[in-house]
Amino acid sequence: MKKSKRKENLINEKDNAILSKKLARIELDAPVEIELSELPYKGKQLEPLMSFYKDMNFNGFMSRLLENSDQADLLTEDWEEVAYTHVASAEDLTVDHFPSVAAADGYAIYLENLSKNYHDSEVVAVAWTNGSEIFTGDASLLQADLFKSWLSDEQVTKVVFDAKRTKVMLDYVGIDFAGVVDDVLIGSYLLHARDNSNDLAEVAREFDMDDLSYDESIYGKGAKRGVPEEAETMYEHIARKVHIIARLQETIRPQLEANQMDDLYQKMELPLALVLANLEILGISVDKQQLVTMQAEFQEIIDGLEANIWKEAGHEFNVNSPKQLGVILFEEMGLPVIKKTKTGYSTAQDVLEKLAGQAPIIDLILNYRQLNKLQSTYVEGLQEFIHEDGKIHSRFQQTLTSTGRLSSADPNLQNIPIRSEEGRSIRKAFVPSHEDWVIFSSDYSQIELRVLAHISGDKHMQEAFNNHEDIHTSTAMKVYNVAKDEVTSNMRRNAKAVNFGIVYGISDYGLSQNLNISRPEAKNFIDTYLENYPGVQAYMKDVVEKAKEDGYVETLFNRRRYLPDLNAKNFNVRSFAERNAMNTPIQGTAADIIKIAMVKMDEALKEHKLQANLLLQIHDELVFEVPKDEIDTLEKLVTEIMGSAAQLDVPLEIESNYGATWYEAK
């Protein structure tokens, strides 16, 4: 007689079944002491609702609430009135509209544009204050000599929201912006480690200033985004922005000082914003023909891979269709099912990687997908971002990541793959902007591991770096208990994985997936590693405990990251926060070091009157273009400045190369 599996499950899971029934049933005898008649609906309580949205960081809900004009009137009726004077034309400007002396606090100015990518959009309006009055006007005012002179006068101090954006936009209209003493966007970012770059209203609400509308409620969104029919609505909005910028400055600066972040702000982030602005303005030259040629070559390879995939499958199908691919692999070819989704079989990257080697079609598909991604995102995608000057002007996002690392967008040049030859070859399209110049690349060698060695104080790790040993070989010797000449390439690869994994708080599960070994093996590997690096083990424990006490972690330069989830009840949420506590001081310090190097390199290039230009920052790498006769000078400067950007207990080592293209410089 066949045994009933359902019966067996019911017997074994009886307690869970009863508990599930209890959890699913609505309790009617809950001890509620209030009657339904005492809860009459009184309509929307807008102020408490907005307060709740703000506390929960529901910015989208707040924006939609403000889009309704009736509700907006109710929410704004108690707002302080902001007086301003509209200047109709450049001819109406006089010296009285502009302060002529420096002020310790600076004078607030704001330029309005309606696109996130300010490289592709124009200024539509401007608002500023002379210290006693606020003025507004359209973009044509910027062409007045009085305005140009004031904006470029370094002695007249200014406070802004997003100095980088402001400097770039003014450069597009021929103005060299100078005199910035405060950037409330950067200040807010340092205090909260959260991206608020899209809207000044978000920053204002971080500091309990609710009297500024979100841009969406003024300009709309998507295809409908634009200057409102009543221009006065826009001018009132940007006048209020200038008023808010001045108030934010008064609030943010004391908090930065109280948190020991003033040096981080004044000596690193604020000057870096202007360095980044210059990078964006300059851009990097791109050989479009190289991309076009590569596009044809890649397409030929992709077509060949597709034909081979069809051959293995026995018939043609849409290789880009997960559903069709799932049927081919798991029904027609009978490969083992790794994971299912609501719509069928999963053919995600991790699934295919687990099937690698079980059938030739798997490797073909993985190669096909990789090349398709390179083709669409980079070979074809980069061509769309080439400006009329033959350059790409990427946006460097300074206030996005919680660790302090820079990122880039429109396009993202930091994510160009370099692990495959096809990915690296994309760098062949990036070239110097002058003849007889070269691309010069310098990057820190294993900077995050060096920071870990310093912060943890681990003597074994510090000894390896101070003796200029290969850290991965040294780790393999300790973990496997072998001599140097006995370390195999596979041992070194595994040691490298755990070295970098430790930096990111890797788990035994994560390491087992990376190395394709069992969890017990991975756990043993990590345990052995930590036994050999006791300083690292102590750091991992101590940094989490201190973070739970303080509520945040810090880099060596006092950059903070708040981690409220360290006390979460959910294990996965809490574990993720613990990994962030371990990683942020390391990754954040490494990010701070290269930022310091960028600021100092910018100063050094000017001081030595070199023609060389800093073009890109790609995590731990700085990319320059330089005349051939300046190569030796630049190499000495880079080695000296990058190597001395921070004083650690281990040396900062720099690797430099140069060539006719970015590809040849690596």
Side-chain angles (χ1 to χ4, degrees):
M1 181 177 175
K2 186 178 179 181
K3 190 175 181 181
S4 170
K5 187 69 176 176
R6 180 178 295 177
K7 179 180 178 181
E8 181 184 338
N9 287 339
L10 285 172
I11 293 170
N12 293 338
E13 302 294 336
K14 174 184 175 183
D15 292 341
N16 284 337
I18 294 171
L19 177 61
S20 295
K21 180 182 178 183
K22 181 179 180 182
L23 292 172
R25 176 179 290 171
I26 297 174
E27 292 285 355
L28 300 178
D29 57 349
V32 179
E33 298 179 357
I34 190 169
E35 297 293 329
L36 190 61
S37 59
E38 299 177 58
L39 300 170
Y41 177 64
K42 299 177 182 178
K44 286 186 178 179
Q45 305 298 298
L46 296 177
E47 289 187 9
L49 185 59
M50 282 295 285
S51 178
F52 173 74
Y53 286 166
K54 176 186 167 187
D55 291 343
M56 296 294 104
N57 203 28
F58 291 165
N59 296 325
F61 289 157
M62 281 194 284
S63 182
R64 285 193 287 275
L65 189 64
L66 288 168
E67 283 176 8
N68 183 301
S69 59
D70 295 336
Q71 294 173 350
D73 289 342
L74 290 171
L75 288 166
T76 61
E77 62 184 9
D78 294 330
W79 285 6
E80 175 188 354
E81 183 178 349
V82 175
Y84 68 96
T85 301
H86 182 69
V87 182
S89 69
E91 288 74 22
D92 296 327
L93 288 171
T94 69
V95 292
D96 294 333
H97 290 104
F98 304 100
S100 57
V101 295
D105 294 336
Y107 302 97
I109 177 169
Y110 183 83
L111 273 63
E112 189 67 282
N113 78 331
L114 304 183
S115 172
K116 194 172 182 180
N117 187 359
Y118 43 77
H119 289 289
D120 294 330
S121 60
E122 297 179 348
V123 179
V124 295
V126 59
W128 75 100
T129 177
N130 64 0
S132 57
E133 297 178 81
I134 294 175
F135 303 99
T136 66
D138 66 29
S140 66
L141 297 187
L142 298 172
Q143 296 305 319
D145 289 340
L146 272 173
F147 217 147
K148 283 185 175 182
S149 176
W150 180 69
L151 289 167
S152 59
D153 189 343
E154 194 165 357
Q155 301 304 312
V156 182
T157 52
K158 293 102 178 173
V159 53
V160 297
F161 172 80
D162 198 341
K164 176 171 64 69
R165 164 186 172 273
T166 305
K167 184 172 176 63
V168 173
M169 287 195 298
L170 285 172
D171 183 82
Y172 277 119
V173 294
I175 299 170
D176 185 14
F177 187 47
V180 175
V181 292
D182 265 315
D183 182 337
V184 297
L185 171 61
I186 293 175
S188 170
Y189 167 70
L190 292 179
L191 291 172
H192 298 111
R194 185 160 53 241
D195 177 36
N196 284 323
S197 59
N198 292 341
D199 203 319
L200 177 56
E202 289 186 23
V203 172
R205 281 169 172 78
E206 294 282 3
F207 297 91
D208 297 321
M209 300 179 191
D210 300 332
D211 49 341
L212 177 65
S213 298
Y214 281 88
D215 283 344
E216 276 189 8
S217 66
I218 302 296
Y219 304 118
K221 58 184 177 181
K224 296 181 179 179
R225 191 172 178 86
V227 174
E229 291 184 11
E230 295 290 336
E232 185 180 340
T233 302
M234 175 178 67
Y235 292 124
E236 182 179 340
H237 181 56
I238 63 172
R240 189 170 289 277
K241 283 187 174 183
V242 165
H243 178 64
I244 287 287
I245 287 170
R247 288 168 57 196
L248 282 169
Q249 183 195 32
E250 294 175 358
T251 302
I252 288 172
R253 282 302 293 273
Q255 290 189 30
L256 288 171
E257 292 171 5
N259 290 350
Q260 291 82 49
M261 288 186 183
D262 207 45
D263 274 358
L264 176 69
Y265 173 65
Q266 294 269 34
K267 296 179 181 179
M268 184 193 303
E269 293 289 358
L270 198 54
L272 178 69
L274 304 179
V275 173
L276 293 173
N278 289 331
L279 261 65
E280 293 187 13
I281 291 166
L282 182 64
I284 183 167
S285 293
V286 179
D287 182 352
K288 186 174 182 179
Q289 187 55 50
Q290 174 67 34
L291 291 174
V292 171
T293 301
M294 198 178 296
Q295 183 177 342
E297 292 172 351
F298 275 25
Q299 192 58 53
E300 186 177 347
I301 299 172
I302 289 168
D303 291 342
L305 286 168
E306 185 177 52
N308 287 331
I309 290 168
W310 289 341
K311 184 178 179 181
E312 291 294 328
H315 59 85
E316 294 185 7
F317 68 100
N318 182 358
V319 182
N320 295 315
S321 166
K323 187 172 183 179
Q324 291 184 36
L325 183 59
V327 171
I328 297 289
L329 297 180
F330 305 114
E331 293 184 9
E332 296 182 14
M333 301 188 73
L335 290 171
V337 177
I338 304 295
K339 188 193 301 182
K340 277 194 170 185
T341 66
K342 292 180 180 179
T343 57
Y345 305 102
S346 172
T347 59
Q349 182 78 6
D350 61 329
V351 170
L352 294 184
E353 286 174 353
K354 289 176 182 176
L355 293 171
Q358 296 196 33
I361 195 173
I362 299 298
D363 290 334
L364 290 170
I365 293 167
L366 287 170
N367 289 336
Y368 174 88
R369 285 185 175 179
Q370 180 190 42
L371 276 177
N372 252 326
K373 172 71 173 177
L374 291 174
Q375 180 82 305
S376 60
T377 305
Y378 300 106
V379 180
E380 295 175 357
L382 289 175
Q383 295 178 50
E384 299 175 7
F385 287 100
I386 300 175
H387 288 228
E388 291 180 2
D389 59 1
K391 295 182 175 183
I392 282 178
H393 299 265
S394 179
R395 287 188 301 115
F396 287 90
Q397 298 172 299
Q398 188 179 358
T399 60
L400 178 65
T401 69
S402 50
T403 60
R405 295 183 83 178
L406 295 176
S407 64
S408 78
D410 302 322
N412 184 351
L413 297 180
Q414 295 187 332
N415 272 7
I416 297 177
I418 57 172
R419 291 185 179 179
S420 68
E421 177 56 28
E422 292 85 0
R424 284 194 299 272
S425 67
I426 293 168
R427 292 188 170 195
K428 292 178 181 178
F430 293 85
V431 296
S433 56
H434 306 284
E435 289 185 15
D436 294 323
W437 285 43
V438 296
I439 297 293
F440 187 101
S441 169
S442 298
D443 68 323
Y444 283 111
S445 172
Q446 301 165 336
I447 188 170
E448 291 186 352
L449 289 175
R450 293 172 189 272
V451 170
L452 173 60
H454 173 85
I455 291 179
S456 68
D458 188 277
K459 296 190 182 301
H460 297 303
M461 189 173 280
Q462 288 187 3
E463 183 181 2
F465 281 123
N466 286 322
N467 291 335
H468 305 284
E469 297 173 10
D470 178 84
I471 188 64
H472 305 312
T473 299
S474 177
T475 298
M477 291 166 59
K478 289 180 170 57
V479 172
Y480 289 103
N481 192 27
V482 295
K484 184 176 181 179
D485 58 1
E486 295 177 294
V487 174
T488 65
S489 58
N490 190 57
M491 288 178 179
R492 186 184 181 279
R493 181 181 69 87
N494 290 350
K496 182 177 181 180
V498 76
N499 268 330
F500 286 115
I502 288 294
V503 170
Y504 290 91
I506 199 169
S507 64
D508 52 6
Y509 173 77
L511 186 63
S512 71
Q513 296 298 299
N514 287 351
L515 300 182
N516 197 25
I517 59 179
S518 69
R519 270 185 92 165
E521 286 178 299
K523 184 179 186 306
N524 182 62
F525 203 112
I526 292 173
D527 289 345
T528 306
Y529 176 95
L530 294 175
E531 286 173 10
N532 281 279
Y533 293 109
V536 174
Q537 185 174 31
Y539 162 76
M540 292 171 69
K541 178 185 177 184
D542 295 345
V543 73
V544 171
E545 289 182 355
K546 189 172 189 308
K548 286 181 178 179
E549 292 176 10
D550 298 338
Y552 60 85
V553 289
E554 287 184 315
T555 69
L556 293 181
F557 298 91
N558 296 327
R559 182 187 303 278
R560 288 188 183 183
R561 180 180 184 180
Y562 291 90
L563 297 166
D565 289 337
L566 281 171
N567 297 309
K569 293 181 180 178
N570 183 284
F571 173 80
N572 291 329
V573 172
R574 187 173 66 254
S575 296
F576 182 69
E578 289 174 354
R579 290 196 295 274
N580 284 332
M582 298 175 205
N583 168 250
T584 296
I586 301 165
Q587 190 181 101
T589 296
D592 288 343
I593 290 171
I594 199 162
K595 286 180 175 181
I596 292 168
M598 291 176 73
V599 172
K600 290 187 174 181
M601 275 306 305
D602 182 71
E603 294 170 353
L605 292 176
K606 293 173 183 174
E607 181 184 340
H608 288 78
K609 298 180 180 178
L610 296 183
Q611 298 179 71
N613 298 308
L614 178 58
L615 300 177
L616 300 173
Q617 188 257 45
I618 309 294
H619 302 312
D620 304 331
E621 175 189 6
L622 296 183
V623 180
F624 303 81
E625 61 176 5
V626 56
K628 290 180 180 178
D629 60 3
E630 289 183 1
I631 291 174
D632 291 343
T633 305
L634 179 62
E635 187 164 12
K636 289 177 184 176
L637 273 179
V638 164
T639 303
E640 176 188 342
I641 289 172
M642 291 182 69
S644 62
Q647 300 302 313
L648 304 182
D649 292 335
V650 296
L652 289 173
E653 293 189 358
I654 296 89
E655 298 173 353
S656 297
N657 291 288
Y658 61 88
T661 68
W662 188 12
Y663 175 86
E664 293 181 20
K666 285 299 290 179

